[in-house]
Coordinates of all heavy atoms in Angstrom, one line a residue:
R81 N -95.7 66.8 -136.6 CA -96.6 66.6 -135.5 C -95.7 66.6 -134.2 O -96.0 67.3 -133.3 CB -97.4 65.2 -135.7 CG -98.2 64.9 -134.5 CD -99.1 63.7 -134.7 NE -98.3 62.4 -134.9 CZ -97.7 61.7 -133.9 NH1 -97.9 62.0 -132.6 NH2 -97.0 60.7 -134.1
L82 N -94.6 65.7 -134.1 CA -93.9 65.7 -132.8 C -92.9 66.8 -132.7 O -92.7 67.1 -131.5 CB -93.1 64.4 -133.0 CG -94.0 63.1 -132.9 CD1 -93.1 61.8 -132.9 CD2 -94.9 63.1 -131.6
G83 N -92.5 67.4 -133.7 CA -91.5 68.6 -133.5 C -92.1 69.7 -132.6 O -91.5 69.9 -131.6
P84 N -93.2 70.2 -133.0 CA -93.8 71.3 -132.2 C -94.2 70.8 -130.7 O -94.1 71.6 -129.7 CB -95.1 71.8 -132.9 CG -95.0 71.2 -134.2 CD -94.1 69.9 -134.1
A85 N -94.6 69.5 -130.5 CA -95.1 69.0 -129.3 C -93.8 68.8 -128.4 O -93.9 69.1 -127.2 CB -95.7 67.8 -129.6
V86 N -92.8 68.2 -129.0 CA -91.4 68.2 -128.1 C -90.9 69.5 -127.9 O -90.5 69.9 -126.7 CB -90.6 67.2 -128.7 CG1 -89.3 67.0 -127.9 CG2 -91.2 65.8 -128.7
E87 N -90.9 70.4 -128.9 CA -90.4 71.8 -128.7 C -90.9 72.5 -127.4 O -90.2 73.1 -126.7 CB -90.5 72.6 -130.0 CG -90.1 74.1 -130.0 CD -90.5 74.9 -130.9 OE1 -91.5 74.6 -131.6 OE2 -90.0 76.0 -131.1
A88 N -92.2 72.3 -127.3 CA -92.9 73.2 -126.3 C -93.1 72.3 -124.9 O -93.9 72.7 -124.1 CB -94.3 73.6 -126.9
H89 N -92.5 71.0 -124.9 CA -92.8 70.2 -123.7 C -92.3 70.9 -122.5 O -91.2 71.5 -122.4 CB -92.1 68.9 -123.9 CG -92.6 67.9 -123.1 ND1 -92.3 67.7 -121.7 CD2 -93.3 66.8 -123.3 CE1 -92.9 66.7 -121.2 NE2 -93.6 66.2 -122.1
P90 N -93.2 70.9 -121.4 CA -92.8 71.5 -120.1 C -91.4 71.1 -119.5 O -90.8 71.8 -118.7 CB -93.9 71.2 -119.3 CG -94.8 70.2 -119.8 CD -94.5 70.3 -121.4
R91 N -91.0 69.9 -119.8 CA -89.8 69.4 -119.3 C -88.5 70.0 -120.0 O -87.3 69.9 -119.5 CB -89.6 67.9 -119.5 CG -90.5 67.2 -118.4 CD -90.5 65.6 -118.5 NE -89.2 65.2 -118.1 CZ -88.7 63.8 -118.4 NH1 -89.6 63.0 -118.9 NH2 -87.6 63.5 -117.9
F92 N -88.7 70.9 -121.0 CA -87.7 71.7 -121.7 C -88.0 73.1 -121.5 O -88.8 73.8 -122.3 CB -87.6 71.3 -123.2 CG -86.9 70.0 -123.5 CD1 -87.7 68.9 -123.8 CD2 -85.5 69.9 -123.4 CE1 -87.1 67.7 -124.2 CE2 -85.0 68.7 -123.7 CZ -85.7 67.6 -124.0
P93 N -87.6 73.7 -120.4 CA -88.1 75.1 -120.0 C -87.8 76.2 -121.0 O -88.5 77.2 -121.0 CB -87.6 75.3 -118.6 CG -86.6 74.2 -118.4 CD -86.8 73.1 -119.2
Q94 N -86.7 75.9 -121.7 CA -86.4 77.0 -122.8 C -86.6 76.5 -124.2 O -86.1 77.1 -125.0 CB -84.8 77.2 -122.6 CG -84.5 77.9 -121.3 CD -83.0 78.2 -121.2 OE1 -82.2 78.0 -122.1 NE2 -82.5 78.6 -120.1
G95 N -87.5 75.6 -124.3 CA -87.8 74.9 -125.6 C -86.6 74.2 -126.1 O -85.6 73.9 -125.2
V96 N -86.8 73.4 -127.2 CA -85.7 72.5 -127.6 C -85.8 72.3 -129.1 O -86.9 72.4 -129.6 CB -85.8 71.1 -126.8 CG1 -87.0 70.4 -127.2 CG2 -84.7 70.3 -127.0
N97 N -84.6 72.1 -129.8 CA -84.6 71.6 -131.1 C -84.8 70.2 -130.9 O -84.3 69.6 -130.2 CB -83.2 71.9 -131.6 CG -82.9 73.4 -131.7 OD1 -83.6 74.2 -132.3 ND2 -81.9 73.7 -130.9
V98 N -85.5 69.5 -132.0 CA -85.8 68.2 -132.1 C -85.2 67.6 -133.1 O -85.6 67.9 -134.4 CB -87.3 68.0 -132.0 CG1 -87.7 66.5 -131.8 CG2 -88.1 68.9 -130.9
G99 N -84.3 66.6 -133.0 CA -83.7 65.8 -134.1 C -84.3 64.5 -134.4 O -84.7 63.7 -133.3
F100 N -84.6 64.1 -135.6 CA -85.2 62.7 -135.9 C -84.1 62.0 -136.6 O -83.7 62.4 -137.7 CB -86.4 62.9 -136.7 CG -87.5 63.6 -135.9 CD1 -87.5 65.0 -135.9 CD2 -88.6 62.9 -135.4 CE1 -88.5 65.6 -135.2 CE2 -89.5 63.4 -134.8 CZ -89.6 64.8 -134.7
M101 N -83.5 61.0 -136.0 CA -82.2 60.3 -136.5 C -82.6 58.8 -136.9 O -83.2 58.1 -136.1 CB -81.2 60.2 -135.3 CG -80.0 59.4 -135.6 SD -78.6 59.6 -134.4 CE -79.5 58.7 -132.9
E102 N -82.1 58.6 -138.2 CA -82.2 57.3 -138.7 C -80.8 56.8 -138.7 O -79.9 57.3 -139.4 CB -82.8 57.4 -140.1 CG -82.7 56.0 -140.8 CD -83.3 56.1 -142.2 OE1 -83.8 57.1 -142.6 OE2 -83.2 55.2 -143.0
V103 N -80.5 55.7 -138.0 CA -79.2 55.1 -138.1 C -79.1 54.0 -139.3 O -79.7 53.0 -139.3 CB -78.8 54.4 -136.8 CG1 -77.5 53.7 -136.7 CG2 -79.0 55.4 -135.5
L104 N -78.2 54.6 -140.3 CA -78.1 53.5 -141.5 C -76.9 52.5 -141.1 O -77.0 51.4 -141.7 CB -77.7 54.5 -142.6 CG -78.7 55.5 -143.0 CD1 -78.1 56.4 -144.1 CD2 -79.9 54.8 -143.6
S105 N -75.9 53.0 -140.4 CA -74.8 52.1 -139.9 C -74.1 52.9 -138.8 O -74.4 54.1 -138.5 CB -73.8 52.0 -141.1 OG -73.0 53.2 -141.2
P106 N -73.3 52.2 -138.2 CA -72.5 53.0 -137.0 C -71.7 54.2 -137.4 O -71.3 54.9 -136.6 CB -71.6 52.0 -136.6 CG -72.3 50.6 -136.8 CD -72.8 50.8 -138.2
A107 N -71.5 54.5 -138.7 CA -70.7 55.5 -139.1 C -71.6 56.5 -140.1 O -71.0 57.4 -140.8 CB -69.5 55.0 -139.9
H108 N -73.0 56.2 -140.2 CA -73.8 57.0 -141.2 C -75.2 57.1 -140.7 O -75.8 56.2 -140.2 CB -73.7 56.4 -142.6 CG -74.4 57.3 -143.4 ND1 -74.7 56.8 -144.8 CD2 -74.8 58.6 -143.6 CE1 -75.2 57.7 -145.6 NE2 -75.3 58.9 -144.9
I109 N -75.6 58.5 -140.4 CA -77.0 58.7 -140.1 C -77.7 59.6 -141.0 O -77.0 60.4 -141.8 CB -77.2 59.1 -138.6 CG1 -76.5 60.6 -138.5 CG2 -76.6 58.1 -137.6 CD1 -76.8 61.4 -137.3
R110 N -79.0 59.5 -141.2 CA -79.9 60.5 -141.8 C -80.5 61.2 -140.7 O -80.9 60.8 -139.6 CB -80.9 59.9 -142.7 CG -80.4 59.4 -143.9 CD -81.7 59.2 -144.9 NE -81.2 58.4 -146.2 CZ -81.4 57.2 -146.4 NH1 -82.1 56.5 -145.7 NH2 -80.8 56.7 -147.5
L111 N -80.8 62.6 -140.9 CA -81.2 63.5 -139.9 C -82.2 64.5 -140.4 O -82.0 65.2 -141.4 CB -80.3 64.1 -139.1 CG -80.5 64.9 -137.8 CD1 -81.1 64.1 -136.7 CD2 -79.3 65.8 -137.4
R112 N -83.4 64.6 -139.8 CA -84.1 65.9 -140.0 C -84.3 66.5 -138.7 O -84.4 66.0 -137.6 CB -85.6 65.5 -140.3 CG -85.6 64.7 -141.9 CD -86.9 64.3 -142.4 NE -88.0 65.1 -142.3 CZ -89.3 64.8 -142.5 NH1 -89.6 63.6 -142.7 NH2 -90.1 65.7 -142.6
V113 N -84.3 68.0 -138.8 CA -84.3 68.7 -137.4 C -85.4 69.8 -137.5 O -85.7 70.6 -138.5 CB -82.9 69.5 -137.2 CG1 -83.0 70.4 -136.0 CG2 -81.8 68.6 -137.2
Y114 N -86.2 69.8 -136.4 CA -87.2 70.7 -136.2 C -86.6 71.7 -135.2 O -86.3 71.4 -134.1 CB -88.5 70.1 -135.6 CG -89.6 71.0 -135.5 CD1 -90.6 71.1 -136.5 CD2 -89.8 71.9 -134.4 CE1 -91.7 72.1 -136.3 CE2 -90.8 72.8 -134.2 CZ -91.8 72.8 -135.2 OH -92.9 73.7 -135.1
E115 N -86.3 73.0 -135.7 CA -85.6 73.9 -134.8 C -86.6 74.7 -133.9 O -87.7 75.1 -134.6 CB -84.8 75.0 -135.6 CG -83.5 74.2 -136.1 CD -82.6 75.3 -136.6 OE1 -82.4 76.4 -135.9 OE2 -82.0 75.1 -137.6
R116 N -86.3 74.9 -132.7 CA -87.3 75.7 -131.9 C -87.5 77.1 -132.4 O -86.5 77.7 -132.8 CB -86.8 75.8 -130.5 CG -85.4 76.5 -130.2 CD -85.1 76.4 -128.7 NE -83.8 77.1 -128.7 CZ -83.1 77.5 -127.5 NH1 -83.7 77.3 -126.5 NH2 -81.8 78.0 -127.6
G117 N -88.7 77.6 -132.5 CA -89.0 78.9 -133.1 C -88.9 79.0 -134.5 O -89.2 80.1 -135.0
V118 N -88.6 78.1 -135.3 CA -88.4 78.0 -136.7 C -89.4 77.1 -137.4 O -89.9 77.5 -138.4 CB -86.9 78.0 -137.0 CG1 -86.6 78.0 -138.5 CG2 -85.9 79.0 -136.4
G119 N -89.1 75.9 -137.1 CA -89.9 74.7 -137.7 C -88.8 73.9 -138.4 O -87.5 74.0 -138.0

Side-chain angles (χ1 to χ4, degrees):
R81 179 174 61 83
L82 293 177
V86 175
E87 174 196 18
H89 199 282
R91 288 180 66 191
F92 288 100
Q94 293 179 11
V96 68
N97 299 301
V98 188
F100 296 81
M101 173 175 68
E102 173 185 351
V103 179
L104 300 172
S105 78
H108 188 191
I109 64 172
R110 281 195 191 109
L111 184 69
R112 288 172 64 188
V113 178
Y114 187 95
E115 284 195 45
R116 63 181 175 164
V118 178

